[in-house]
Amino acid sequence: MRKRLLNSAVILSLALSACSLAPSYQRPQMALPAGWSNVPGVGSAQQSGAAPFWQEFGSADLNRLVDNALAQNLDLEAALHRIEQARAQAKVAAAPLYPTINASGSASQTFQDPKDTQSVRGGGSISYEVDLWGKNRNTAKSADYRVDASQFEREALRLVVTSDATNFYSQILSLNDRVQIAELNLKNAEEILRITEARFSQGSVSGLEVSQQRVAVNNLRTALASLIEQRSTTANALAILLGVAPQIFTAPTAELASLSVPQVNLTPPARLLAARPDLQSAEAGLLAANADIGVARAAFFPSLTLGLDSAISAGFGGPAAAATQITSSLLAPIFSGGKLTGNLENVTAREKELAAQYQKTVLTAFQEVEDALAALKSSNDRAVLARATVAESQNAYDIAKARFDAGAVDYLNLLDTQRSLYQAQDSQIVIN
């Protein structure tokens, strides 16, 4: 009779184990744009390239730095350990899906006249909670989704690391050019100061012009020192990104012209949801919260646990006795003071919060692309104007310098053209 009851309970539990109280997941509905505003038609036709973006700059030095950053960055290493933690927690969460098996053993000796007695006892037990309402499966699913989220977070961090390494590298190359231009302008200004001081000693210019040129030289020296400082701090930031001490890091010495201009490749807005790991991480968290609702709902219903206990005992020199016990227990919540209701309300609100955060993350991703495209368009327009400005400023300075050397223009004209040329050259590099 007991065996038939157990078989019936097992059959019933297996039939009910397919039940899950988690709501059916649906990605939050959002209106997705067909293309990008700043590049009409491109967003729906042009897809992202297969090669990593930093390789499109055509710099072996940059490729090496990015590879080192991916291998040595400490934030990425910490993120890897967070994935390991999430995987370990997933193992713990999945444990109730399997039976629990325990073994025990004991030995005793009794001192009693006229004869001492000894006995040993050994046994084992198996227990299994039947997942009637999908509580354990949803708990395991939630943990698995959190593993996915941690993996996507690391992928997003990889993108940040590669982007930062590329930016720092290009900034250092830009600063190399700016330092070089500042040094050339300082050298030129010092030459003008030498000529001005010589003319002052001959009485052909006043002391005011000498003082003005000295001020100009000091300003250029100050600007040069500031650029050198910026280059050092940027190199230090790149060193930390690479996981090395700044004291042993050698900054890149190449020029900005050594980099190729990468081609802009766009992912269509509709495909951005699966292309960006930060969006995938946000959705994985939303899926985990959805599974948590199933766990909270299942807590309102009875839980069934099946068990099997077996024991063998014997005294030394005596016969052994064996016993087996089959058990089943049903536990149903009746009153918990609002604990179960509060927990369900909490996880439901959490799921709604993450849905809103997911939508905000998607909108932010669209904004970032539009901002980048607008900045690129503006940068291209400003670069054309900057090149024209540098050419005109150089021409004006050459004319003013020649006429100043011939004594045809006063010093103020030369000083103005010199200042304009330096500012135009520096601005061109910053824009590029």
Side-chain angles (χ1 to χ4, degrees):
M1 179 68 178
R2 180 180 299 175
K3 184 175 182 181
R4 287 198 300 270
L5 289 175
L6 179 61
N7 291 337
S8 299
V10 171
I11 294 173
L12 177 63
S13 66
L14 292 175
L16 292 176
S17 63
C19 178
S20 176
L21 299 180
S24 178
Y25 173 76
Q26 291 184 348
R27 178 181 290 171
Q29 297 297 316
M30 299 184 64
L32 301 180
W36 305 108
S37 301
N38 286 285
V39 189
V42 174
S44 59
Q46 192 172 359
Q47 299 182 9
S48 59
F53 71 91
W54 64 87
Q55 294 183 5
E56 297 183 7
F57 287 93
S59 170
D61 191 29
L62 174 59
N63 293 341
R64 178 183 58 80
L65 284 176
V66 172
D67 289 342
N68 290 341
L70 293 175
Q72 301 170 185
N73 182 264
L74 296 177
D75 289 331
L76 283 176
E77 181 178 350
L80 180 61
H81 296 311
R82 286 194 293 271
I83 293 175
E84 293 172 350
Q85 294 174 48
R87 286 173 176 167
Q89 292 167 358
K91 289 181 180 180
V92 175
L97 293 173
Y98 302 95
T100 300
I101 303 174
N102 294 310
S104 63
S106 63
S108 64
Q109 181 173 3
T110 303
F111 299 94
Q112 182 179 1
D113 292 333
K115 183 179 180 182
D116 298 341
T117 60
Q118 300 89 21
S119 64
V120 294
R121 177 181 176 85
S125 64
I126 301 176
S127 64
Y128 174 67
E129 180 183 357
V130 182
D131 197 15
L132 296 176
W133 317 108
K135 179 188 69 173
N136 295 336
R137 282 179 288 119
N138 282 319
T139 299
K141 282 184 180 180
S142 177
D144 288 338
Y145 287 134
R146 288 186 169 86
V147 172
D148 293 340
S150 65
Q151 291 174 331
F152 288 132
E153 287 173 0
R154 188 172 188 270
E155 288 302 311
L157 183 58
R158 280 173 59 90
L159 290 179
V160 172
V161 169
T162 56
S163 177
D164 286 348
T166 303
N167 286 336
F168 288 150
Y169 182 81
S170 61
Q171 287 176 24
I172 292 174
L173 267 56
S174 174
L175 287 166
N176 288 342
D177 290 352
R178 295 177 67 187
V179 166
Q180 184 179 9
I181 289 176
E183 290 173 341
L184 291 174
N185 278 278
L186 175 59
K187 182 178 179 180
N188 188 53
E190 289 173 340
E191 177 63 18
I192 294 175
L193 176 59
R194 185 188 65 79
I195 295 173
T196 304
E197 289 176 338
R199 290 185 177 182
F200 173 73
S201 65
Q202 297 171 0
S204 58
V205 298
S206 67
L208 175 61
E209 293 173 322
V210 174
S211 296
Q212 288 175 324
Q213 184 60 20
R214 286 174 179 170
V215 170
V217 169
N218 288 335
N219 288 338
L220 288 172
R221 287 172 177 167
T222 301
L224 176 59
S226 177
L227 291 174
I228 293 174
E229 178 189 1
Q230 291 180 46
R231 184 171 60 182
S232 297
T233 55
T234 306
N236 293 342
L238 179 57
I240 298 303
L241 192 71
L242 297 173
V244 299
Q247 293 79 3
I248 61 176
F249 176 68
T250 302
T253 58
E255 298 178 351
L256 194 59
S258 64
L259 298 180
S260 302
V261 178
Q263 195 172 14
V264 177
N265 297 308
L266 296 178
T267 297
R271 297 185 182 180
L272 195 66
L273 303 184
R276 288 186 47 147
D278 57 337
L279 301 184
Q280 293 173 303
S281 176
E283 187 169 21
L286 184 57
L287 286 163
N290 189 76
D292 289 338
I293 294 177
V295 176
R297 287 177 176 177
F300 285 87
F301 296 90
S303 60
L304 174 64
T305 302
L306 305 177
L308 176 66
D309 295 320
S310 178
I312 300 176
S313 61
F316 289 106
T324 300
Q325 182 181 19
I326 299 175
T327 63
S328 62
S329 63
L330 189 68
L331 180 65
I334 298 177
F335 177 74
S336 61
K339 175 182 177 182
L340 299 181
T341 302
N343 183 52
L344 178 59
E345 292 174 349
N346 176 60
V347 296
T348 302
R350 174 62 176 166
E351 191 268 345
K352 293 179 179 178
E353 175 196 0
L354 292 179
Q357 288 182 352
Y358 173 78
Q359 292 173 303
K360 176 65 179 299
T361 305
V362 172
L363 293 178
T364 301
F366 290 156
Q367 177 194 2
E368 290 174 350
V369 175
E370 289 291 354
D371 289 348
L373 291 174
L376 177 62
K377 185 176 183 299
S378 174
S379 177
N380 290 337
D381 294 340
R382 289 184 290 120
V384 174
L385 296 174
R387 286 193 292 270
T389 301
V390 168
E392 292 297 333
S393 298
Q394 183 68 57
N395 185 51
Y397 174 76
D398 292 340
I399 294 173
K401 180 67 166 57
R403 297 181 67 183
F404 175 77
D405 292 340
V409 297
D410 61 17
Y411 169 73
L412 289 178
N413 287 329
L414 177 63
L415 186 62
D416 286 341
T417 56
Q418 179 192 46
R419 185 183 302 111
S420 297
L421 175 60
Y422 171 71
Q423 291 174 348
Q425 291 172 327
D426 190 69
S427 297
Q428 182 186 20
I429 296 176
V430 173
I431 292 172
N432 290 338

